[in-house]
Amino acid sequence: MTADHPDRRTFLVGGAAALGGAALAVGGRAAWDADQGRRGAASDGSGTAAGTATVPFRGARQAGVGTPPAAFATVIALDLVPGADRDAIVRLMRIWTDDIERLTQGRPGLTDTEPELALVPASLTVTVGYGSGLFSAAGLDRLRPAWLSPIPAFAIDRLQPAWCGGDLVLQVCADDELTIRHAARLLVRQAGTFATVRWVQRGFRRSPGTTPPGTTMRNLMGQLDGTRNLSPVDDEDLIWHDDTAPDWLVGGTSMVLRRIAMDLDTWDGVDRPVREAVLGRRMADGAPLTGTREHDEPDLEALNDIGFPVIDIAAHIRRARTADPGQRFLRRGYSYDDGPGAGGPDGTGLLFITFQRDVTRQFVPVQQRLAELDLLNTWITPVGSASFAIPGGCPTGEYLGQRLLES
């Protein structure tokens, strides 16, 4: 990235007014770096193992997909400003590449005006994706994947434009909220000349150390969410593109985000046996109603004493399953909650984030089955939907998306 700095510094100096005096921060950043070298460790308690943990940024794949999910996530969709072309997108990607590499390793961005806030990386990852509109703006429609298009409308959808679409996406994850807020704010500010924010969605999971590693997350309905999930190690062929894909997509994937509102007020009135019949699993341990442990294979043929299926024909576990092993995807969901009484009917729910090689082949058929007949649909409503192409990673010497943008 060293060779890219002169171009970026020229841009920052030339665009100082637009970036609120960011050019003035460059000199200050150099002095701050030198000062930190003299002082050593930060004095704000950032020396704990959780705070200093880092995730590598450089590599064949972007972090934040196969990486163990962090406690918090902020997902930001942006729209390119009118007239933004390929050259503008390249400049943005160079800036983001530099800043993301710094931030994820616990160092401030080049024009960071609050550098102390960058000292706690807390396993920060930033994943960058491209919506359909970016390919058109860059004059690269010929390279747009066939699966990168609006997801078909499903019968249960009540989509709100405020939670749909986007030309670019930033998925910012970490085990510390302040780390995320600082990184997200800096990256959005740096994009101000090129793009505007379309929507922001924030979610959470259990914090590190509160449950054993590998524990399946619970959503706000109390349900274990993601039991039959893909393994980033064992199921690579269902997640990432290999060398049969276009060069820019090798090591890449696709991202779907569905914002799913939950009607917890009426769910609160449902007793445990009914909840378990709806899900087809026990609430306590996630075991199928025909098993004893969470990861037991459900027996969909089992009948009860009066001849009815133990697992209802419309239970969520049954509708989500298929005999086609290719209809699976990696789930990285996060709960969201605006607080009691806040946010209206969309105030509480799940950010259903998935990664898969092919949205049309893997994701859509499962969602169609669930939309057609799933007892859980009484309490959940999709209100947002967006999909993005996640380009391959960023080896040393490259910027994000370089193989696409220089095609």
Side-chain angles (χ1 to χ4, degrees), residues 81 121 210 223 226 243 265 343 402:
V81 300
T210 57
Q223 164 197 4
D243 56 11
D265 290 340
Q402 179 172 331

Side-chain angles (χ1 to χ4, degrees), residues 23-159:
L24 300 178
V26 178
R29 278 285 304 106
W32 187 91
D33 284 340
D35 182 61
Q36 288 303 298
R38 290 192 299 269
R39 291 175 182 267
S43 59
D44 63 352
S46 63
T48 65
T52 58
T54 60
V55 178
F57 167 69
R58 295 285 181 180
R61 298 167 177 165
Q62 290 197 58
V65 179
T67 314
F72 305 101
T74 292
V75 187
I76 306 166
L78 303 99
D79 288 331
L80 293 166
V81 300
D85 56 11
R86 194 187 310 192
D87 288 342
I89 298 168
V90 168
R91 295 179 76 182
L92 175 58
M93 290 303 106
R94 288 181 180 274
I95 292 171
W96 273 359
T97 298
D98 190 17
D99 278 337
I100 293 171
E101 182 170 20
R102 289 168 175 266
L103 291 167
T104 56
Q105 305 311 301
R107 296 183 291 125
L110 183 63
T111 61
D112 205 329
T113 55
E114 294 83 29
E116 290 80 7
L117 296 182
L119 296 180
V120 182
S123 299
L124 175 69
T125 63
V126 181
T127 312
V128 176
Y130 301 151
S132 179
L134 180 138
F135 288 81
S136 296
L140 294 170
D141 286 326
R142 70 187 188 282
L143 295 178
R144 182 192 297 117
W147 43 257
L148 186 59
S149 58
I151 294 172
F154 302 113
I156 60 169
D157 287 359
R158 300 293 182 270
L159 301 183

Side-chain angles (χ1 to χ4, degrees), residues 72-74 122 174-182 202-204:
F72 305 101
T74 292
D175 289 329
D176 181 78
E177 275 269 35
L178 186 57
T179 295
I180 288 181
R181 297 299 180 101
H182 173 66
R202 298 185 175 93
F204 56 89

Side-chain angles (χ1 to χ4, degrees), residues 57 61-65 74-80 89 92-93 96-97 100 125-135 144-145 147-148 165-172 187 191 195-196 198-199 248-249 251-257 353-356 386-394 399-402 404-405:
F57 167 69
R61 298 167 177 165
Q62 290 197 58
V65 179
T74 292
V75 187
I76 306 166
L78 303 99
D79 288 331
L80 293 166
I89 298 168
L92 175 58
M93 290 303 106
W96 273 359
T97 298
I100 293 171
T125 63
V126 181
T127 312
V128 176
Y130 301 151
S132 179
L134 180 138
F135 288 81
R144 182 192 297 117
W147 43 257
L148 186 59
D167 295 334
L168 286 158
V169 72
L170 290 168
Q171 177 192 258
V172 187
L187 295 172
T196 57
R198 184 182 183 95
W199 48 254
W248 71 269
L249 197 50
T253 183
S254 68
M255 172 184 176
V256 172
L257 191 158
I353 303 172
T354 72
F355 295 95
Q356 53 280 299
S387 60
F388 303 92
I390 307 297
C394 192
Y399 62 83
L400 286 162
Q402 179 172 331
L404 171 65
L405 295 169

Side-chain angles (χ1 to χ4, degrees), residues 2-12 90-91 94-95:
T2 304
D4 297 337
H5 289 172
D7 175 71
R8 186 177 176 193
R9 292 178 188 275
T10 300
F11 162 73
L12 290 169
V90 168
R91 295 179 76 182
R94 288 181 180 274
I95 292 171

